Each structure stands twice: as C-alpha cells, then as structure tokens.
Amino acid sequence: MKDIDHLVKAIDPTPYAPDQGPGARELRAAIMATSLPRRRLSWLPGVGVLGRWPVLISAVTALAVAVAIGIGLPSGGPATEYANAAVSIKKADDHFSVTITDPAADYRRFEEAFRAVGLNVRVKVIPVAPDEVGTLIGPIVPEGFKWHGSIGVQAVRPCASVFCGKVWMPADFPGWVVLGVGRPARPGEPYTDNDDYAPADEALDGYKVHGKTVAAVRAELRRRGLKVGYRLLWNYREGSFFQQPVTVDRVKDDWIVDGSRDHSSDTVDLYVVPGPGAGPAPDPLKVAAPHWYDDLTN
C-alpha cells in the first residue's frame, strides 16, 4: 500500500488530457488490485483499529485522486456527469447541462470535461466584452454540419454561476465541433469577432449612430476619448450582407453609419454603408476576416 501512496504523490493533480501516462495507469492497476481487509471493523479496545487506519486512508485517498484526475476507472462508457474547477457538465436525455465557473481557466480543463461525457469537442478560450464573459459560443462545425438532428447552445436563466446553459448535438455525430468560452479581455485587447452584427447595433450610451455621417460619429467618439475602426457593409445575395474591415482611407466622411459595436475597451467599430466612389462589392471569400475558430491555438 505504501507503493500506492508513492504513486499518488507522483501524479500531477491537474491533468489536461484523458491519457494520464504510465504513472496514472500504474496507479489504476494498483487501486484495482488492492482489497481491504475482510474483517469487520470494531471500536472495542485491543482490536487494532488504529493500526489499520493508514491502510483505509491510503485506499480512499488513492481512489479519490483517481476520480479527480479523470484516470477513467473501468465503466460502461462515458460518464453521465463530470466536474472540475472550470466547468461542470451533466448529461440529460436530449442535451448536456453546462455550468461554467471559471471562464479564464485553461482550455484543456474544458476539453477534459466535455470529452469525459463523450463529446468530441475542441475548446478555444476567447477574449470578449464584459457582458459576454463566461458565455459559451457555438458549437461550430468547421466542415459544416451534415448529419441528422441539430446542434446548438442555449443560455439558461437564472444562473447562480458565471454561465449556465444547454448544449445539444446528436450522440452519434461522427465529427468534431468547436466551442468558445468567453474570457475577460485585457485592456485594449480586441474582442473576438463572432460575425453576429445585427443592423443598427449601437455601442454608445446616450448617442445613436444609425443614420449619421461618418464625420459626425467620428467626432463624437473622439470627444469620448475612443479610437475608431471601420467596416464596410456590402449587400449580398438574397438581401443579406457581409462586412469588410477597412482602413480609414477607404471611408468617406459623408458616408452613412449603419451601426456600431465595441471592438475593444478603447475602440469602437463603425459599420458603414458604402457610398459613391466605393466601387463594386468585393468577393466575400477574399475579404472575409479569419474566424475565431480557424486557429485553435490558445
């Protein structure tokens, strides 16, 4: 049993991958091969209870560590619920309940939990605006979702933690998906662009930018000590539109602003309708900015 205690101390208590390596596998084998004494415990003097306490504590400690680090003790399949310091997940009949407690945690802690319940998920922790911290974004299927059923995320209120929500996707989906977890952005760090701009979005308290000229809105932003970014809103097929990030020299003072969004803690992006002299609309595939899920490094 002392060998088990030695193995427990040798294992990193904060794993990030399902495969914990030779040390973890050796610990699991030792735990499963260890049996407790079959004699009934007694509190009567002279039975030697105190002498057996180290044996009992060692076994319980080893088992607790094995469960905490996700070694994967023999079972019939994925866990129905899993929790660590960053997130807890519980499987229901048609969805997974997800509660995020630490949105700034290492992405591997989130992946560890999702994979423990059988989901093939990649997680990217991304900088977001203060009111989106902790939000679960996605799920995204980079290759496109081509399967029966559907996938999605729905926030749940009220929530006693940073974020509570439901994630659903077909249990037999053979591909993998990407989820984003919103973390607090550092001062001046750009917020992740999730392409969800809605016409006439407004970022400035007490000041409506919709319908005003670029020159007028720019002056107001500078008065507030804010920097300015620009995005052209081009009409697309079937009444939709796409946005093109551009530099200030591509925008005329008399063009009309459709809306605005926070770009970072010190910058606001203006969504501008291209006016005279803008030229033809470009190919969306050639001017589109990279998506947050294109690069899965954290």
Side-chain angles (χ1 to χ4, degrees):
M1 187 62 68
K2 291 181 179 180
D3 291 338
I4 294 178
D5 294 334
H6 175 72
L7 290 170
V8 170
K9 293 178 181 179
I11 290 179
D12 179 0
T14 56
Y16 297 119
D19 183 3
Q20 300 300 324
R25 292 193 292 271
E26 186 180 353
L27 171 59
R28 178 176 58 189
I31 292 171
M32 302 310 297
T34 302
S35 60
L36 297 178
R38 294 182 179 274
R39 293 173 296 173
R40 184 176 62 183
L41 290 178
S42 172
W43 293 102
L44 295 177
V47 179
V49 172
L50 293 179
R52 298 214 316 269
W53 266 118
V55 175
L56 297 176
I57 292 174
S58 294
V60 172
T61 300
L63 181 59
V65 172
V67 172
I69 66 178
I71 287 176
L73 297 178
S75 64
T80 57
E81 55 185 295
Y82 189 92
N84 57 30
V87 61
S88 61
I89 304 176
K90 185 175 183 179
K91 187 180 185 304
D93 290 339
D94 59 351
H95 69 273
F96 294 85
S97 295
V98 179
T99 301
I100 295 176
T101 51
D102 183 5
D106 190 286
Y107 75 98
R108 289 169 290 189
R109 301 296 275 165
F110 295 102
E111 289 186 352
E112 166 192 300
F114 281 106
R115 291 174 181 176
V117 296
L119 295 178
N120 188 10
V121 171
R122 296 289 302 276
V123 176
K124 188 172 179 67
V125 180
I126 53 181
V128 295
D131 60 349
E132 296 178 344
V133 170
T135 301
L136 196 62
I137 301 169
I140 302 294
V141 182
E143 296 84 5
F145 182 74
K146 300 175 182 178
W147 202 248
H148 64 83
S150 62
I151 61 174
V153 169
Q154 178 184 9
V156 174
R157 297 287 187 271
C159 178
S161 191
V162 177
F163 175 83
C164 303
K166 296 179 179 180
V167 176
W168 67 90
M169 57 186 295
D172 60 346
F173 180 57
W176 58 282
V177 302
V178 183
L179 285 171
V181 176
R183 64 162 174 82
R186 296 181 291 274
E189 181 182 19
Y191 303 140
T192 297
D193 186 357
N194 53 16
D195 294 332
D196 64 350
Y197 171 78
D201 271 2
E202 298 282 352
L204 301 179
D205 292 335
Y207 185 87
K208 184 178 180 180
V209 306
H210 179 71
K212 291 184 172 64
T213 64
V214 169
V217 177
R218 183 193 296 128
E220 175 64 19
L221 290 172
R222 289 176 176 171
R223 187 184 69 81
R224 298 185 181 213
L226 295 171
K227 301 174 185 178
V228 189
Y230 302 93
R231 294 173 181 252
L232 296 181
L233 283 179
W234 296 97
N235 290 325
Y236 199 40
R237 57 176 176 242
E238 299 176 356
S240 61
F241 60 89
F242 66 92
Q243 54 177 286
Q244 177 189 11
V246 295
T247 54
V248 62
D249 59 290
R250 290 286 311 280
V251 179
K252 305 299 183 182
D253 287 349
D254 59 349
W255 289 359
I256 302 302
V257 177
D258 182 79
S260 61
R261 292 193 66 185
D262 290 321
H263 178 82
S264 67
S265 61
D266 60 1
T267 303
V268 170
D269 280 340
L270 301 183
Y271 290 76
V272 180
V273 178
D283 183 341
L285 297 179
K286 293 182 179 179
V287 302
H291 298 100
W292 62 266
Y293 49 83
D294 290 335
D295 180 6
L296 293 180
T297 58
N298 280 270

